[in-house]
Amino acid sequence: MQKEDVARLFTTPVDSPAYAPARYRFTNREYLNIYYRTDPEAVRRLVPEPLTVTDPIVRFEIMRMPDTTGLGDYTEAGQLIAVEHEGDKGEFNLAMYVDSVPAISSGREYSAYPKKSGSPTLYVDSDTLVGTLDYGTLRVATATMGYKHHAMDPAEALAQVCAPNFMIKTVPDYDGGLRVCDLVRTRITDVTVKSAYTAPARLELFAHAMAPLADLPVLEVVGAGHILTDLTLSPVEPVFDYLTA
């Protein structure tokens, strides 16, 4: 392999890339979103400056993705915290638990998604939409929502899907320090909302040292959504450099 070929590598291994060099388009991406109020001090300990917390609202999400260009079929779960940055309202993506190695690799390496391994599921049980998250052999979250009780306003569905995501991008240096440490932002584009519903919902979180979702306790469920979409993820853009601040 010539030097110029090495410089063009998208990722490694050199003979079998960990993920496809694609802009990811999701077809029939299905969300279960549960919004809840939590302890204000708990979120402030986790949200990095220069983001600000105006209301201690967390979104627990399960995303079922059966058809993703380059990545195939997988499921994710995560927690996102409502924040603002210079007047731009969005969400700080705290953690994501994913059942796909290519999705974890691409999310962390190519972008800045805080992904680690987990076993989320999303399914219908009689008249109830159920989302679960296991970490290893232990259950760490169970979400339930009535199945398609009330049609959601399309504008509300878009707001749930399209809120800007803020994340921390880090790249270690060879001496153990950091080569990159940025606050970045990404947006979802080319969205088609195929269906959107709301209904009564509940969320139960279980304490776990390595999947600490319960550190943001559920004080009050304030909303829920079940949304089916097609969409595209945009690349991240840096908004703050911690190494030069």
Side-chain angles (χ1 to χ4, degrees):
M1 181 178 289
Q2 303 299 310
K3 293 190 293 291
E4 57 270 23
D5 296 323
V6 175
R8 285 195 293 266
L9 287 173
F10 190 75
T11 184
T12 57
V14 298
D15 63 343
S16 176
Y19 53 89
R23 187 173 183 188
Y24 299 116
R25 177 69 178 170
F26 297 82
T27 302
N28 293 329
R29 184 175 188 171
E30 184 179 13
Y31 289 84
L32 168 57
N33 293 323
I34 297 184
Y35 292 84
Y36 70 91
R37 192 175 306 281
T38 193
D39 177 6
E41 292 306 314
V43 292
R44 291 191 180 101
R45 284 194 297 269
L46 293 172
V47 172
E49 293 181 331
L51 300 175
T52 59
V53 177
T54 58
D55 199 8
I57 300 297
V58 178
R59 177 166 65 95
F60 174 78
E61 65 177 11
I62 301 276
M63 293 182 293
R64 180 79 189 94
M65 290 164 283
D67 184 356
T68 308
T69 54
L71 297 176
D73 181 352
Y74 65 103
T75 306
E76 292 183 349
Q79 279 178 312
L80 301 97
I81 301 169
V83 294
E84 287 190 12
H85 178 259
E86 298 180 346
D88 188 14
K89 292 185 178 181
E91 296 174 316
F92 174 61
N93 199 328
L94 177 63
M96 307 177 80
Y97 300 87
V98 190
D99 63 2
S100 162
V101 171
I104 293 172
S105 301
S106 64
R108 294 182 61 89
E109 183 179 321
Y110 178 53
S111 190
Y113 290 95
K115 297 187 178 187
K116 60 193 300 186
S117 181
S119 300
T121 65
L122 183 61
Y123 62 94
V124 178
D125 181 9
S126 182
D127 61 349
T128 307
L129 182 66
V130 179
T132 67
L133 174 61
D134 292 350
Y135 190 83
T137 62
L138 299 178
R139 179 64 43 88
V140 293
T142 300
T144 56
M145 175 182 166
Y147 187 72
K148 295 187 176 181
H149 283 203
H150 308 289
M152 184 185 294
D153 184 317
E156 170 63 19
L158 281 173
Q160 288 195 19
V161 171
C162 295
N165 268 207
F166 295 93
M167 300 170 288
I168 300 297
K169 172 71 173 182
T170 60
V171 177
D173 211 337
Y174 297 104
D175 61 1
L178 286 174
R179 178 174 289 194
V180 175
C181 187
D182 290 341
L183 178 69
V184 301
R185 176 177 55 210
T186 188
R187 300 180 189 273
I188 286 173
T189 60
D190 303 325
V191 181
T192 300
V193 174
K194 295 181 170 180
S195 67
Y197 291 88
T198 188
R202 298 292 185 270
L203 175 62
E204 189 172 11
L205 304 177
F206 305 92
H208 193 294
M210 300 307 295
L213 286 81
D215 287 2
L216 296 178
V218 180
L219 303 183
E220 178 191 11
V221 172
V222 298
H226 177 205
I227 304 170
L228 185 67
T229 66
D230 296 341
L231 57 85
T232 302
L233 288 183
S234 295
V236 299
E237 54 178 343
V239 297
F240 188 82
D241 183 349
Y242 292 97
L243 299 182
T244 61

